[in-house]
Amino acid sequence: MTTVNLTVNGKPVAAKIDPRTLLVQFLRENLRLTGTHVGCDTSQCGACVVHVDGHAIKACTTLAASCDGASVTTIEGLAHNGELHPMQEAFREHHGLQCGFCTPGMIMTAVDLVQRKGNHLEEHTIREELDGNICRCTGYHNIVKAIAAGAEAMAGQVSAQAAE
Amino acid sequence: MSVAQIGQSVRRTEDQRFVTGKGRYVDDIGRPGQAHAFFLRSPHAHARIRRIDLHEAQHAPGVVAVLTGDDLAADKIGGLICGWMIHSKDGSPMKAGPHPALAQGKVRYVGDHVAVVIAETLAEAKDAAEKIVVDYEVLPAAVDPAKTQAKGAAQVHDEAPNNTVFNWHLGDKAATDAAFAKASHVTTIDLVNNRLVANAMEPRAAVGDYDSGTDNFTLYTTSQNPHVARLVLSAFIGIAPENKLRVIAPDVGGGFGSKIFIYAEETVCVWAAKKVGRPVKWVAERTEEFLASAHGRDHVTKAELATDAAGKILGLRVHTKANLGAYLSTFSSSVPTYLYAPLLSGQYDIPAIYAEVDGVYTNTAPVDAYRGAGRPEATFVVERLMEVTARQIGMDPAAFRQRNFVRSFPHQTPVIMCYDIGDYNASLKKALELADYKGLGRRKRESARKGLLRGLGFSAYIEACGIAPSAAVGSLGAGVGLWESAEVRVNPVGTVEILTGSHAHGQGHETTFAQLVSARLGIPMEQVSIIHGDTDKVQMGMGTYGSRSGAVGMSAIVKALDKVEAKAKKVAAYCLEASESDIEFKDGRFTVKGTDKGLSFGEVALQAYVAHKFDGQELEPGLKEGAFYDPKNFTFPSGVHIAEVEIDPETGVTRVDRWTAVDDFGVLINPLIVEGQVHGGIAQGIGQAMMEGAVYDQSGQLVTASYMDYRMPRAEDFPLYQIATTSTPCPSNPLGIKGCGEAGAIASPPALINAITDALGHEDIAMPATPQAVWKAAQKTVHKLAAE
């Protein structure tokens, strides 16, 4: 057994775990944060994407122990005070999800994408950046629209925060 | 939230939980004390099991139990079943071998279930499974559906000589042969409809639980139809009587057909829960999904179309070999027969059709329904024939279709179906306009200047949805009726719970069904809850597949709402001291005709429960009604999809440049959700046509068993789709709905292959048209162009 200390969605977490525990197992089974999903086990589908120290990573192929000391944000940590994050709201508004299984990973990837590439995203940029996220329901059409809209809305959020 | 309307793009209410990570899928369920199951699977396509040594595994750390087919047999647990009887053309019933949930004596495909290890943790179960020693006598395997019936091929089941499950036919052979004899042109094509894996993003999963105090079983499972699962697990497999078995399908992450079926893993989990006295959980890894979830399609077809000198179709003749895999999955036999051949008339007036289908066993995973199920295969045959024929006889492909469209309704085809309504030319005209068909020549020249090949392809599809009139499917061999149930529970304060036998796994029923109820009762949507997926709450239902939840599921709700309204009018009449015939219900209010006296829906609901204003002997208190709706006919969604592609002959890369879809789904409840269904269907169809394919090697190893090898469609593969609708409301259900769930997947493969072959200038390409295949095919084109 090994000990890990993490911050998950802003709260400190310490646990003794089997060293082979994957981050996704730790989040789902130890912390019961079941919004992060496992869709493929091979880092292809992106249903397991979370943020570690602000960067999107695939939790299905990351050892929990390797995240010792890190700050992890999952889909459950995105909304604040009962208000959806603009990207969550954009997925809802643009019907960017159907079965919802890939959605947490899509949204976490999209937020990371905006952080890296800015708020004004071209369609082809979004499509290219979604290479590591598979959706079987939507044909991606409304996901692409949702991410473009969510990215713009995030700009509004930043300026609103600055104004406060 | 306000009162919703039919035809309004209401945002989905279920999304709140999905975008916040609060969806509750089977893998999110943890039962106290649960143990974890891991299945040891066959590494061989075909082998006799001489001996299984479990000793070391049984004593490995954390192991609770190791169970095999002998344990199932000892407990008299029956095998998995196929619920649709097909008779061969000689009248004999189909020939099926047994399908035990854990192998008994033999394994028949790579991934077949040999044993299950149940342990404290999944890691311990996997470690222990490695310690099971199986002595296999490896046998030759029959893998190729085109060769499996040949003399000398390995026999998958002794019960099915020559690996032939059935040799079935439909239509009039003599009339069709006669039509061909007088044809001025016959088009002949050979087609392979490639084998696919459904790949819902949520892998299958099951949690079995047993309460020894009450002798009740509970199964949480990734199912599109939990009631059918309970029926089969009770009545055929023998887990427990129905009243002792609760099946719950909570949020389910996509199905596309693959979660209709009753599988070995859930059978074993619920049975083992009692055996080991612990809840037992299993979640498929993606590779297990590839190996052991039912695959789709896999047809080898020879098809011929006879036309006269004026370009009028005289007859259609089809012979298909349909790969059913190593065992008959739950509805496998119906897919290449009654869900296939009755659609071979397409949108066309074809006087004579004859189809012959061999259902064959191979040493591969079972094949069953996948989005569209039989109808994409039929559409691929018809629409490839239409395009190739138009090219061969020198007619414009749109004009050739127009010449042969069915124009008057009802239209009885020679292959069972009676089309109730449609306007095929309206969809085609709209699609031609939206796709700028007139500008194609110019766009082709522009592409050619860049050294690229541009092509356009049509697909004018029809499908039979709203599955299905029970008496009709019963006469064709179905083991079940295909009605749907609904119960409307009005609470004393006027809130409403709808219990439905439909099951949502991405379709947005919680929104569309609530929208329907809100519009009908004049109450805000948030006052309506949709309850589904639990056999303890909803008494019985047939589930969701075949684009049936709108046309059949919602019609059942309408029927129950009719009864609620009739009862509420009686209550209102008492309360308003008026004659029942003078009560009108509109915009959520019951009023007395010609007066301003009235009560709101909520007030009437309360009066129904307090029961102070009427004699409880004459009128029962309460406001709750149920209905079973059995459709009168199938519904026939149709439409035209136009694909336009640009091929780089140097690399073989095909870019889908434009996609135009004009669909006639009848009345739309929620256009936003309908469009989403079309988008997803098109993507799966483009996936089939250009990317996806499950490939077994000659020894029966699945070489495409992960996302590293099986090419899933990704965001970059698609343009934004151009979607529009026409509407001829369906006359055979109260809402005028036809269904939209499968249309995209049915329409798109032939549109794309027709576009690619148009660009190439020859027909020599099969699905999936991968860059490698297109590059090879394009070399022929380049040489031809150079020679010109």
Side-chain angles (χ1 to χ4, degrees):
Chain A
M1 300 297 263
T2 187
T3 305
V4 287
N5 288 282
L6 295 166
T7 304
V8 178
N9 297 333
K11 289 182 197 144
V13 175
K16 276 199 164 68
I17 55 169
D18 184 340
R20 61 181 163 177
T21 305
L22 298 166
L23 179 59
V24 71
Q25 292 171 327
F26 181 70
L27 294 170
R28 290 181 53 82
E29 288 158 29
N30 294 50
L31 306 182
R32 299 298 298 156
L33 291 170
T34 55
T36 304
H37 297 149
V38 181
C40 75
D41 321 290
T42 53
S43 282
Q44 295 284 309
C45 83
C48 65
V49 170
V50 298
H51 294 178
V52 173
D53 292 333
H55 301 289
I57 61 110
K58 289 185 170 169
C60 78
T61 37
T62 302
L63 290 168
S66 73
C67 300
D68 191 36
S71 175
V72 178
T73 306
T74 71
I75 188 71
E76 290 92 343
L78 218 50
H80 279 296
N81 305 321
E83 266 209 21
L84 294 182
H85 183 280
M87 193 58 78
Q88 292 173 312
E89 182 56 40
F91 269 70
R92 199 191 67 80
E93 175 62 25
H94 294 273
H95 188 28
L97 62 144
Q98 291 181 23
C99 81
F101 195 80
C102 76
T103 310
M106 283 284 177
I107 291 175
M108 298 310 283
T109 297
V111 171
D112 175 74
L113 165 61
V114 177
Q115 284 163 0
R116 287 185 291 108
K117 302 255 171 171
N119 298 92
H120 310 295
L121 298 171
E122 299 281 342
E123 182 196 334
H124 74 87
T125 307
I126 298 171
R127 290 186 184 274
E128 195 177 283
E129 290 283 335
L130 286 182
D131 190 47
N133 290 77
I134 301 177
C135 169
R136 193 57 153 169
C137 294
T138 64
Y140 302 97
H141 187 101
N142 287 341
I143 290 178
V144 172
K145 282 186 170 178
I147 293 176
E152 299 283 347
M154 280 171 71
Q157 181 198 38
V158 172
S159 52
Q161 277 171 356
E164 283 169 21
Chain B
M1 217 179 267
S2 55
V3 176
Q5 299 303 320
I6 302 291
Q8 191 185 347
S9 287
V10 177
R11 276 19 185 198
R12 299 203 323 170
T13 50
E14 48 273 80
D15 287 357
Q16 178 69 26
R17 68 176 184 276
F18 293 132
V19 300
T20 53
K22 301 288 167 57
R24 194 164 163 79
Y25 302 89
V26 173
D27 189 20
D28 302 340
I29 287 162
R31 302 297 301 157
Q34 84 188 357
H36 297 265
F38 181 77
F39 286 85
L40 179 72
R41 296 177 184 277
S42 171
H44 304 294
H46 197 194
R48 194 164 283 121
I49 300 173
R50 290 200 191 102
R51 199 174 64 91
I52 307 181
D53 183 352
L54 304 174
H55 183 78
E56 209 184 330
Q58 282 165 331
H59 294 88
V63 169
V64 177
V66 186
L67 304 169
T68 67
D70 290 345
D71 299 296
L72 276 171
D75 283 0
K76 298 192 166 45
I77 299 299
L80 307 179
I81 61 152
C82 177
W84 199 302
M85 171 52 74
I86 295 298
H87 287 87
S88 287
K89 65 183 184 188
D90 66 6
S92 62
M94 65 187 187
K95 299 177 174 68
H99 188 180
L102 293 173
Q104 288 171 357
K106 231 181 164 193
V107 284
R108 293 184 173 86
Y109 67 99
V110 171
D112 203 352
H113 314 70
V114 177
V116 62
V117 182
I118 299 164
E120 297 296 337
T121 69
L122 179 59
E124 287 169 333
K126 282 185 177 184
D127 288 347
E130 289 187 11
K131 298 181 191 302
I132 297 175
V133 182
V134 186
D135 182 5
Y136 291 106
E137 177 194 345
V138 179
L139 303 170
V143 179
D144 184 345
K147 297 178 188 161
T148 189
Q149 292 169 295
K151 261 192 191 145
Q155 291 298 292
V156 182
H157 291 273
D158 296 339
E159 292 82 355
N162 304 318
N163 293 323
T164 304
V165 180
F166 53 76
N167 168 232
W168 173 89
H169 70 159
L170 185 67
D172 187 333
K173 185 173 190 305
T176 308
D177 289 346
F180 274 80
K182 63 178 185 195
S184 67
H185 181 85
V186 173
T187 308
T188 304
I189 53 175
D190 290 295
L191 298 171
V192 171
N193 204 289
N194 44 329
R195 187 180 181 110
L196 303 174
V197 181
N199 272 309
M201 292 316 297
E202 178 205 24
R204 286 192 298 116
V207 182
D209 201 351
Y210 174 72
D211 181 337
S212 59
T214 58
D215 194 30
N216 283 351
F217 289 84
T218 303
L219 171 66
Y220 301 85
T221 181
T222 49
S223 174
Q224 299 177 219
N225 44 345
H227 293 88
V228 176
R230 183 175 72 159
L231 175 68
V232 171
L233 288 164
S234 292
F236 297 94
I237 296 175
I239 296 292
E242 280 169 298
N243 61 320
K244 291 289 178 188
L245 174 59
R246 177 183 188 183
V247 178
I248 299 172
D251 285 329
V252 172
F256 315 111
S258 68
K259 292 171 180 169
I260 298 171
F261 323 120
I262 290 73
Y263 286 99
E265 293 91 349
E266 60 228 36
T267 303
V268 168
C269 283
V270 70
W271 159 73
K274 180 177 180 182
K275 193 136 190 99
V276 304
R278 302 265 299 268
V280 175
K281 180 173 187 172
W282 168 79
V283 180
E285 293 180 3
R286 181 56 57 183
T287 291
E288 293 184 282
E289 275 286 296
F290 277 103
L291 290 174
S293 287
H295 294 184
R297 318 282 194 255
D298 209 351
H299 284 196
V300 180
T301 295
K302 183 185 184 66
E304 301 162 284
L305 191 73
T307 42
D308 69 13
K312 179 79 188 68
I313 300 169
L314 300 173
L316 173 67
R317 204 158 47 193
V318 174
H319 189 173
T320 293
K321 291 187 186 218
N323 192 352
L324 300 171
Y327 300 98
L328 296 190
S329 173
T330 316
F331 290 108
S332 58
S333 55
S334 67
V335 176
T337 51
Y338 289 110
L339 292 173
Y340 169 64
L343 277 302
L344 286 171
S345 196
Q347 298 187 355
Y348 312 108
D349 180 13
I350 305 181
I353 299 176
Y354 181 68
E356 194 172 355
V357 180
D358 294 334
V360 298
Y361 273 133
T362 57
N363 291 110
T364 63
V367 179
D368 206 320
Y370 166 61
R371 199 171 196 168
R375 291 151 292 171
E377 295 90 317
T379 303
F380 192 63
V381 169
V382 175
E383 289 304 292
R384 282 294 290 137
L385 274 173
M386 292 303 288
E387 204 89 355
V388 174
T389 302
R391 289 169 187 165
Q392 289 185 358
I393 65 176
M395 263 183 93
D396 175 84
F400 178 54
R401 285 177 171 86
Q402 279 169 322
R403 179 160 304 177
N404 287 284
F405 277 153
V406 170
R407 303 253 177 191
S408 68
F409 298 89
H411 173 82
Q412 179 62 54
T413 73
V415 279
I416 300 175
M417 292 300 175
C418 182
Y419 300 164
D420 51 4
I421 200 163
D423 185 349
Y424 307 142
N425 203 34
S427 294
L428 178 62
K429 274 166 65 184
K430 197 165 181 175
L432 288 171
E433 210 170 286
L434 289 172
D436 185 23
Y437 188 49
K438 284 185 187 146
L440 176 65
R442 177 178 46 79
R443 294 193 296 276
K444 277 191 171 185
R445 286 190 294 277
E446 280 166 14
S447 295
R449 271 198 289 279
K450 293 182 282 181
L452 304 173
L453 306 168
R454 181 173 286 267
L456 179 145
F458 292 89
S459 174
Y461 74 96
I462 191 162
E463 52 169 329
C465 296
I467 292 175
S470 298
V473 295
S475 73
L476 303 177
V480 290
L482 288 168
W483 42 265
E484 195 47 87
S485 75
E487 187 177 319
V488 178
R489 292 181 182 168
V490 182
N491 295 318
V493 290
T495 56
V496 176
E497 287 146 3
I498 302 293
L499 287 80
T500 169
S502 298
H503 184 278
H505 30 278
Q507 297 88 342
H509 294 173
E510 288 170 39
T511 304
T512 44
F513 288 15
Q515 202 174 336
L516 168 71
V517 175
S518 169
R520 172 69 185 266
L521 299 180
I523 58 174
M525 268 181 74
E526 68 261 31
Q527 287 188 23
V528 184
S529 295
I530 307 300
I531 295 162
H532 67 97
D534 183 342
T535 62
D536 262 15
K537 292 179 179 166
V538 180
Q539 183 237 338
M540 187 57 191
M542 295 312 296
T544 290
Y545 39 82
S547 305
R548 68 191 303 274
S549 297
V552 190
M554 288 177 100
S555 293
I557 296 173
V558 169
K559 204 172 162 188
L561 285 169
D562 289 344
K563 295 184 188 178
V564 163
E565 187 181 315
K567 170 83 181 281
K569 276 183 173 167
K570 287 189 168 67
V571 176
Y574 276 103
C575 298
L576 295 165
E577 296 175 335
S579 155
E580 191 190 324
S581 58
D582 285 340
I583 301 292
E584 289 178 332
F585 180 58
K586 203 176 162 232
D587 298 333
R589 276 188 76 74
F590 294 89
T591 52
V592 182
K593 211 182 281 179
T595 75
D596 59 357
K597 277 178 26 176
L599 290 169
S600 70
F601 178 75
E603 287 168 327
V604 172
L606 184 63
Q607 289 302 326
Y609 285 93
V610 298
H612 293 166
K613 298 282 175 71
F614 54 87
D615 180 345
Q617 308 309 309
E618 282 177 25
L619 182 65
E620 278 180 35
L623 195 52
K624 179 182 86 166
E625 300 288 346
F628 287 78
Y629 173 81
D630 202 347
K632 302 195 273 220
N633 191 1
F634 291 84
T635 64
F636 298 96
S638 63
V640 172
H641 286 219
I642 298 178
E644 196 167 318
V645 301
E646 200 174 47
I647 294 170
D648 183 345
E650 304 248 319
T651 62
V653 170
T654 303
R655 189 173 64 85
V656 181
D657 184 44
R658 293 160 171 238
W659 197 281
T660 307
V662 179
D663 298 292
D664 178 355
F665 297 133
V667 173
L668 310 184
I669 305 294
N670 185 320
L672 183 75
I673 287 177
V674 169
E675 284 167 18
Q677 291 293 310
V678 176
H679 298 155
I682 294 171
Q684 287 185 0
I686 294 176
Q688 165 161 32
M690 288 176 56
M691 303 160 216
E692 299 178 41
V695 178
Y696 285 91
D697 71 10
Q698 286 184 353
S699 71
Q701 290 294 330
L702 183 62
V703 295
T704 52
S706 82
Y707 288 158
M708 321 279 254
D709 311 296
Y710 185 96
R711 170 68 161 86
M712 286 286 279
R714 298 183 192 233
E716 258 192 299
D717 298 319
F718 305 109
L720 285 170
Y721 315 109
Q722 186 163 222
I723 307 277
T725 54
T726 57
S727 181
T728 56
C730 179
S732 44
N733 63 63
L735 290 163
I737 293 179
K738 294 186 181 178
C740 64
E742 299 158 294
I746 291 169
S748 47
L752 201 80
I753 296 300
N754 288 338
I756 290 173
T757 49
D758 181 44
L760 291 172
H762 66 82
E763 309 294 342
D764 194 13
I765 188 122
M767 296 195 293
T770 59
Q772 187 188 20
V774 173
W775 181 83
K776 276 189 193 161
Q779 298 319 297
K780 198 164 138 187
T781 310
V782 171
H783 290 307
K784 209 173 105 193
L785 289 174
E788 285 167 15

